[in-house]
Amino acid sequence: MDKEKLVLADGTEIMLESSQGVGALCVCAGNHSAACSMWSMLTRDNLREVVIRNPDGGMTGKYKDMILDHITGTDNADGTVRLTVCLREKTYFEILAERIAELEAGSRTHNEAIADLGQAVSDMAERGE
């Protein structure tokens, strides 16, 4: 039986048992180790853009700037683990905070480069170049 897939930004595909939208994606992992491995793939970078594909490969949903809200797990009698992955869109303030952090990092880089250039010019002037 073919199932829907969650496709992460890096191309990783996670088979879905069921879903009620990106807020409740159910996944079955073979064991705890596989569940932890799958969980570790749900990084901020991988959630920049996610796609839900139907069994025929068609896209049924495409989402940007998602974040892992929470995840729950249940042990099944057969040793498998049922996970419910709950994603949500980043809030305006989360996106704004990320952009400010990027601007500040760029500003520090520019300030360091300007200071290095100033020191190089000063050194050259001292040597009479």
Side-chain angles (χ1 to χ4, degrees), residues 31-52:
N31 53 41
H32 284 197
S33 179
C36 289
S37 177
M38 191 274 306
W39 189 344
S40 71
M41 292 181 216
L42 300 174
T43 63
R44 286 190 182 260
D45 281 343
N46 265 343
L47 296 176
R48 280 187 334 255
E49 181 175 292
V50 296
V51 173
I52 306 289

Side-chain angles (χ1 to χ4, degrees), residues 73-94:
T74 305
D75 290 326
N76 295 323
D78 64 358
T80 60
V81 179
R82 182 176 179 86
L83 298 173
T84 301
V85 176
C86 301
L87 304 178
R88 66 171 174 78
E89 291 181 351
K90 290 180 186 173
T91 65
Y92 172 77
F93 294 108
E94 289 168 330

